[in-house]
Amino acid sequence: MKTVAGIDLGTQSMKVVLYDYEAKKTVESSSFPLELISGADGSREQKAEWYRAALESCFLKLSAEGKSSIQSIGVSGQQHGFVPLDSQGNPLYNIKLWNDTSTAEECRLIADSVGGQEAAAAEVQNFILPGFTAPKILWLKRHQPQLFEKLRYIMLPHDYLNFLLTGNYVMEQGDSSGTALFSSKEKKWSEKLCAAVDPELIKKLPPVIAPDEPAGFVSREAAGWLGIPEGAVVSSGGGDNMMSAIGTGTVKNGVLAMSMGTSGTLYGFSSTSISDPAAGISGFCASSGGYLPLLCTMNCTVASEEIRGLLNLGVKEFDAEAEKADPCAGGVFVLPFFNGERTPNLPHGKASITGLTAQNCSRSNIARAALESAVYAMKTGLDSFRKHGFTPSELRLTGGGAKSALWRQITADIMNLPVRIPVLQEAAAFGAALQALWCLSKLQKNPVSMESLAEIHVEMDSSKTARPDEKRVQEYNRAFSEYQSLVEHLAPLYR
């Protein structure tokens, strides 16, 4: 048996899958939960030590036979997190995550120093937003100057795992383009944006490798404490959205995918650079070559989980309760800004339930509204994608929300597209494994395209396809207009 390992470092857990690429099946998997440090100021943080412990635990749960079969490893990681290390590779501070909104002031300072948000977008194809890495680095400089003086290594979460596995300090183009320091068009660090954070910053950033290049090879030390083969190839890896794109087969022009995890993302592959920050579309590189324009909201399953906890319901009970309500939830809306929001840019946003009357105030309407709210933001993104020439015939859905039959149908009706689900649900981990296979094939002098690999290995589950209902589509179009109006009127309160 020969396998490739895919590691997915998410916000809530780490997962590892072993994929037998000759038999085309997952043979083993493991996971480990991660905690979250939340602050009233919008901070969301984790510790680097937790990542090392999770990595060790995940591999300990795999069989010796499975681990010995590993030929190559790929790492997927939550995007934008800032892992600051000293010259010895020791963590200097907590990891500020993608959903940390405590850096709004740093965003303003960076944008002002380069001539405004439009000028920043011209440099790095993105506005300077709290989700990105650049303001997190400036936050450390402003709030922990003594630690900043010791800063030597600047990593993203997936880079840190690559560092633990190989000892090498590199980044790849996809995750780098989510730092707001890297030009996805020119595929290099922006001297102007780096200098806006610190004059010496660009000297501390790592070299950026192409997505089909190896980040390195499993070191003797990593092989010893993880029980995996020394010298196994470690591919470049990438951000979780980039890896999910591979895992869903979103590796050719015009294919759109949507991830319903803690955050919600809508993304599509493009052979040319596409960026529209004013419409919420980030101009990222793909980790399969090409580009991955992406819209991200910071509150997807967060909304359903918070409302589910409020109603004291289990996951299946929550779906059953929501299913009792009619489409559009009787006019009830949830504005799901529990973590602030990135699209629209409302770092100080607050969640609310609105539209309640004596007639529609029910658990079922509130539950359904929570599910619908996460998809409304995605619909805004879909309209923007179409303006840039995307004409999708289907939407490939992944993430925890994709497991809900009701949520899949709501998505199909609101987006007015058939929704298809990959057979292998852990899209980020599976995508990382496929990227590892892509890299391995190239090193073995048998190069293949990522598109051909996806055609061979990415299978859709036809039994879970959801198709839009014309009557519900029209109802949701009207409700969506009302949702947009609510956001427009409330947004000034949160800017």
Side-chain angles (χ1 to χ4, degrees), residues 329-471:
V332 177
F333 292 91
V334 171
L335 272 64
F337 307 144
F338 290 93
N339 286 322
E341 189 49 82
R342 173 167 153 182
T343 307
N345 183 25
L346 302 172
H348 305 297
K350 301 289 189 294
S352 59
I353 302 171
T354 188
L356 291 171
T357 68
Q359 288 72 40
N360 66 14
C361 185
S362 68
R363 287 156 58 95
S364 56
N365 279 333
I366 293 172
R368 188 178 187 104
L371 298 179
E372 292 171 344
S373 69
V375 188
Y376 286 141
M378 295 294 108
K379 182 172 173 61
T380 302
L382 179 62
D383 293 343
S384 298
F385 271 95
R386 284 182 168 136
K387 290 177 185 176
H388 288 282
F390 278 82
T391 53
S393 58
E394 66 181 39
L395 191 63
R396 298 186 176 185
L397 198 63
T398 185
K403 298 175 183 178
S404 165
L406 175 60
W407 219 345
R408 294 197 297 269
Q409 187 60 55
I410 288 172
T411 301
D413 292 333
I414 291 177
M415 303 293 266
N416 193 19
L417 284 171
V419 168
R420 301 183 71 197
I421 309 295
V423 170
L424 295 179
Q425 283 289 291
E426 301 296 346
F430 179 50
L434 284 187
Q435 193 208 51
L437 179 59
W438 187 41
C439 181
L440 179 67
S441 300
K442 180 183 177 183
L443 290 177
Q444 292 177 338
K445 310 298 182 184
N446 184 31
V448 292
S449 71
M450 182 58 80
E451 186 175 338
S452 65
L453 274 181
E455 287 176 357
I456 293 168
H457 295 280
V458 179
E459 182 183 357
M460 296 292 130
D461 187 342
S462 58
S463 68
K464 294 180 180 177
T465 298
R467 302 188 183 281
D469 176 271
E470 187 175 347
K471 180 175 180 292

Side-chain angles (χ1 to χ4, degrees), residues 80-84 93-94 96 103 106-107 110 129-145 147-149 151 153-156 169 171 178-181 189 193-194 196-202 204-206:
H80 315 316
F82 171 38
V83 186
Y93 192 75
N94 290 346
K96 295 187 82 65
T103 60
E106 284 73 23
C107 290
I110 294 171
L129 302 177
F132 294 139
T133 317
K136 297 173 173 59
I137 300 173
L138 182 57
W139 184 96
L140 186 71
K141 178 182 178 181
R142 296 181 71 226
H143 293 267
Q144 300 287 341
L147 296 181
F148 186 82
E149 286 298 315
L151 180 64
Y153 296 112
I154 296 166
M155 300 186 191
L156 301 167
Y169 181 42
M171 284 193 189
T179 62
L181 296 169
W189 297 115
L193 264 299
C194 289
V197 177
D198 186 81
E200 300 297 313
L201 180 64
I202 199 165
K204 297 179 181 179
L205 292 168

Side-chain angles (χ1 to χ4, degrees), residues 9 47-52 55 75 83 85 89-91 95 155-166 168 170:
L9 169 55
K47 293 182 179 293
E49 305 92 279
W50 297 352
Y51 294 174
R52 183 185 176 97
L55 190 66
V75 179
V83 186
L85 306 179
N90 299 313
I95 300 163
M155 300 186 191
L156 301 167
H158 110 262
D159 301 316
Y160 181 61
L161 295 192
N162 280 352
F163 181 69
L164 291 177
L165 290 167
T166 70
N168 291 346
V170 295

Side-chain angles (χ1 to χ4, degrees), residues 2 10 32 143 242 319 367 376 400-401:
K2 294 180 180 179
F32 190 83
H143 293 267
M242 289 77 186
D319 266 21
Y376 286 141

Side-chain angles (χ1 to χ4, degrees), residues 467-486:
R467 302 188 183 281
D469 176 271
E470 187 175 347
K471 180 175 180 292
R472 291 194 295 263
V473 168
Q474 297 305 316
E475 291 175 352
Y476 275 123
N477 283 340
R478 290 189 290 270
F480 175 63
S481 295
E482 188 172 348
Y483 176 84
Q484 286 182 303
S485 178
L486 287 167

Side-chain angles (χ1 to χ4, degrees), residues 123-251:
E123 275 287 311
V124 293
Q125 294 72 61
N126 290 297
F127 289 160
I128 309 302
L129 302 177
F132 294 139
T133 317
K136 297 173 173 59
I137 300 173
L138 182 57
W139 184 96
L140 186 71
K141 178 182 178 181
R142 296 181 71 226
H143 293 267
Q144 300 287 341
Q146 291 180 327
L147 296 181
F148 186 82
E149 286 298 315
K150 299 178 181 179
L151 180 64
R152 170 60 187 89
Y153 296 112
I154 296 166
M155 300 186 191
L156 301 167
H158 110 262
D159 301 316
Y160 181 61
L161 295 192
N162 280 352
F163 181 69
L164 291 177
L165 290 167
T166 70
N168 291 346
Y169 181 42
V170 295
M171 284 193 189
E172 57 80 47
Q173 296 166 2
D175 224 0
S176 295
S177 61
T179 62
L181 296 169
F182 183 84
S183 170
S184 59
K185 277 186 180 178
E186 299 183 14
K187 297 189 175 177
K188 66 178 185 179
W189 297 115
S190 165
E191 292 184 13
K192 182 181 288 188
L193 264 299
C194 289
V197 177
D198 186 81
E200 300 297 313
L201 180 64
I202 199 165
K203 297 177 183 178
K204 297 179 181 179
L205 292 168
V208 178
I209 60 176
D212 62 348
E213 292 184 66
F217 303 87
V218 173
S219 67
R220 177 175 298 179
E221 179 187 358
W225 64 273
L226 294 175
I228 57 179
E230 181 182 352
V233 181
V234 179
S235 67
S236 67
D240 51 1
N241 291 301
M242 289 77 186
M243 295 296 104
S244 291
I246 296 173
T248 56
T250 310
V251 294

